[in-house]
Amino acid sequence: MRTICFYFQIHQPFRLKRYRFFDIGNDHYYYDDFNNEEIIRRIAQRSYLPANQAILDMIKSSGGKFKVAFSISGVALEQLEMYVPEFIDSMREMVKTGCVELLSETYAHSLASLVDNEEFINQIKAHDDKIEMLFGQRPKVFRNTELIYSDDIAAVVASLGFKGIITEGARHILGWKSPNYLYTPVTAPKVKLLLKNYKLSDDITFRFSNYSWSEYPLTADKYIGWIASLPEREEVVNLFMTYDTLGELQSSNSGIFEFLKALPVFAEEKGITFSTPSEVLAKLKPVDVISVNVPISWADEERDTSAWLGNVLQQEAFNKLYSVAERVRLCDDMRLKQDWNYLQTSDHFYYMCTKHFDDGAVHSHYSPYDSAYEAFTNYMNVLSDFIVRVKEQYPDSIDNEELNSLIITIRNQASEIEMLKKELTSAKNNLAAAKGKAAKEAEEKKPAAPKKKRVAKAKGEE
């Protein structure tokens, strides 16, 4: 039986305010609070909240047969908690149905997986802790920022215990193969890959309301018909998209919500079900191994990382940011660590994209800047101030070799302290057990007390 796996991404960055060269060293607050609040409230009202209600209604009306998955970045969750707390409540209600799966990702929606495995792992753990705290569900399936994936990334994710990874069904990787099967990474044979069917996903995300599209208008029965007509052996169709597709990229006036609500009705007629990623992993077996030497993503025609690191501006900013990674991890300044998270968000590098192609409007649609060069200048001014603050704690007088030595020493000390704590706990337990045993033995050796004789006084006896 064929099944549809719906997955939505929810992410909003902390956008930077206009930060000038003369602010460096004088102003350590970098964010455009007004713009950030306005944008997330607007998108929540147009998209997130009505989409949540629509999906909850679909779950209930289908008797729990409609299922869906979400990944929500940590930085998005922070903003939703502050500005749209009702979204958190509605998501909790959806999760309680048992028909919604929450996925793992990087807390900062960062590109750390491409350059810094330690940071990558730290962010995954921080994100999953946040998800568990808010929704009581620990993610079991991983999706990286913008579906970025490679053999090396798969190996790291597998080491953390994840059984599945969601990524792009890139044509240059699959070749003649179909994305409508499970695969395994060459570096982690126990992990299963769910690959996005980008054609069917993009029909909704980008073409749904396009009057010039040959298939316009797209109706639910037509769409389900396409899925039903796929080769019989293709058992899963992965439809992955951003959540703001519903109500923002495709406005409510386009009929997007009516289209969504009608899908389960026509799917049931065709014998097509809906499954969460974990359910797909449990039901289906991989058909082949996939090797990805160079990282892929779900962005642009190239399906690579050039949207974030394709020009010298992006590379300069990226390399400068991660040049202080070890120093930031050493410090205990929570404000500095928070800024470190926010500055890693991939959107900052996306705004610096200078590509010129048919889909170039996609880049400008999300950017608060008039040009990539303006985005670069503003970010570098902020980053310069941030690095000044980092160096106040770990100055340039400590070179990298000395810093690495210090880091190793600290890590060794931490490991030694942890080992000593375990030994101390074990010794305390042994001591307590020995005391208990000694007390028991002493009690057993203690002579029995003589029985008191009952003396009956004779009548009249003095």
Side-chain angles (χ1 to χ4, degrees):
M1 181 179 288
R2 180 162 298 142
T3 193
I4 295 172
C5 181
F6 255 118
Y7 150 70
F8 294 104
Q9 172 195 290
I10 299 176
H11 167 65
Q12 291 296 327
F14 280 93
R15 295 164 187 83
L16 304 176
K17 66 183 181 183
R18 292 301 187 269
Y19 193 90
R20 305 185 182 196
F21 175 80
F22 299 104
D23 293 325
I24 300 172
N26 298 310
D27 182 2
H28 302 320
Y29 191 78
Y30 310 134
Y31 312 104
D32 187 344
D33 291 338
F34 177 82
N35 200 27
N36 288 326
E37 180 177 358
E38 189 277 327
I39 288 173
I40 201 161
R41 283 186 184 276
R42 185 191 74 227
I43 294 177
Q45 293 302 321
R46 291 182 182 178
S47 174
Y48 299 164
L49 292 173
N52 274 10
Q53 188 59 55
I55 289 174
L56 183 60
D57 291 343
M58 291 164 70
I59 291 171
K60 291 179 178 178
S61 63
S62 68
K65 293 179 181 178
F66 184 75
K67 299 177 181 182
V68 68
F70 292 90
S71 71
I72 315 172
S73 70
V75 292
L77 283 169
E78 287 187 29
Q79 293 180 75
L80 289 164
E81 285 182 284
M82 285 190 289
Y83 303 128
V84 197
E86 60 269 34
F87 169 85
I88 304 295
D89 294 334
S90 67
M91 185 59 70
R92 284 185 180 131
E93 188 177 0
M94 290 168 63
V95 170
K96 286 178 182 177
T97 65
C99 298
V100 172
E101 180 174 6
L102 299 175
L103 307 181
S104 175
E105 71 156 88
T106 57
Y107 189 95
H109 200 75
S110 75
L111 305 173
S113 61
L114 299 174
V115 69
D116 190 330
N117 282 344
E118 184 175 353
E119 182 64 27
F120 181 45
I121 291 170
N122 288 346
Q123 286 197 29
I124 292 171
K125 291 178 179 178
H127 172 270
D128 293 358
D129 288 344
K130 183 82 170 178
I131 290 291
E132 188 170 27
M133 180 192 73
L134 288 176
F135 305 109
Q137 188 182 112
R138 190 78 182 178
K140 299 175 182 177
V141 178
F142 180 76
R143 61 84 62 195
N144 198 13
T145 304
E146 308 299 340
L147 299 191
I148 291 173
Y149 172 84
S150 71
D151 293 338
D152 292 338
I153 292 171
V156 175
V157 173
S159 72
L160 297 176
F162 292 101
K163 303 303 182 184
I165 302 174
I166 281 178
T167 188
E168 175 69 20
R171 185 183 302 171
H172 68 279
I173 296 298
L174 286 175
W176 57 268
K177 298 174 184 176
S178 168
N180 303 327
Y181 296 99
L182 286 185
Y183 295 89
T184 58
V186 69
T187 53
K190 293 184 178 180
V191 172
K192 297 177 182 178
L193 297 177
L194 293 98
L195 306 182
K196 173 189 168 188
N197 185 313
Y198 68 83
K199 196 275 177 189
L200 288 171
S201 298
D202 291 354
D203 284 343
I204 298 175
T205 303
F206 300 115
R207 293 183 281 271
F208 181 80
S209 60
N210 183 355
Y211 292 98
S212 63
W213 183 32
S214 61
E215 297 294 344
Y216 181 86
L218 180 60
T219 59
D221 58 336
K222 181 195 292 186
Y223 191 75
I224 292 296
W226 292 345
I227 294 175
S229 66
L230 291 169
E232 187 177 345
R233 293 181 63 187
E234 298 186 1
E235 298 175 297
V236 59
V237 177
N238 298 309
L239 302 177
F240 303 161
M241 59 199 75
T242 58
Y243 204 31
D244 59 2
T245 295
L246 308 177
E248 179 70 12
L249 293 179
Q250 303 297 336
S251 71
S252 59
N253 294 332
S254 70
I256 189 68
F257 289 113
E258 289 73 19
F259 168 82
L260 181 70
K261 290 177 182 178
L263 289 176
V265 177
F266 291 102
E268 188 169 17
E269 289 180 1
K270 298 288 186 180
I272 297 172
T273 64
F274 294 87
S275 301
T276 64
S278 286
E279 289 176 340
V280 174
L281 298 180
K283 292 175 186 175
L284 304 181
K285 294 182 179 180
V287 299
D288 203 352
V289 175
I290 295 286
S291 179
V292 182
N293 296 318
V294 179
I296 59 173
S297 76
W298 68 353
D300 304 337
E301 288 296 322
E302 298 90 342
R303 300 295 196 268
D304 59 13
T305 59
S306 60
W308 304 274
L309 298 173
N311 64 47
V312 294
L313 303 178
Q314 294 165 313
Q315 293 160 16
E316 168 67 18
F318 183 75
N319 292 335
K320 189 169 184 180
L321 173 67
Y322 282 98
S323 69
V324 296
E326 291 287 10
R327 285 171 157 78
V328 175
R329 282 196 286 271
L330 277 173
C331 78
D332 295 321
D333 187 329
M334 297 308 298
R335 175 68 183 279
L336 201 65
K337 286 183 178 290
Q338 183 183 57
D339 290 336
W340 167 245
N341 266 341
Y342 297 169
L343 292 177
Q344 286 186 78
T345 302
S346 64
D347 303 64
H348 302 306
F349 305 99
Y350 192 78
Y351 301 150
M352 301 175 200
C353 185
T354 53
K355 289 184 180 182
H356 297 286
F357 49 86
D358 292 340
D359 291 336
V362 173
H363 294 271
S364 60
H365 173 82
Y366 290 102
S367 179
Y369 302 98
D370 293 330
S371 72
Y373 303 98
E374 182 184 335
F376 172 76
T377 301
N378 200 67
Y379 182 82
M380 292 305 283
N381 284 343
V382 169
L383 186 57
S384 295
D385 182 80
F386 175 76
I387 290 176
V388 167
R389 292 164 57 205
V390 173
K391 289 182 177 179
E392 284 177 354
Q393 299 202 29
Y394 296 97
D396 284 336
S397 57
I398 304 176
D399 60 27
N400 286 335
E401 186 175 344
E402 187 178 354
L403 181 63
N404 288 334
S405 176
L406 177 62
I407 291 168
I408 291 170
T409 300
I410 291 173
R411 286 177 180 165
N412 288 341
Q413 287 176 344
S415 299
E416 189 175 346
I417 289 170
E418 189 63 29
M419 183 180 68
L420 291 172
K421 281 182 179 178
K422 290 179 180 178
E423 289 179 357
L424 181 60
T425 301
S426 177
K428 285 181 178 179
N429 291 337
N430 291 338
L431 181 61
K435 285 182 177 179
K437 184 178 180 181
K440 185 178 180 181
E441 289 176 350
E443 186 67 26
E444 290 173 349
K445 291 179 180 179
K446 191 174 180 181
K451 294 182 179 179
K452 293 182 179 179
K453 294 182 179 179
R454 209 169 161 188
V455 180
K457 292 185 178 181
K459 189 176 180 180
E461 183 181 3
E462 293 185 1

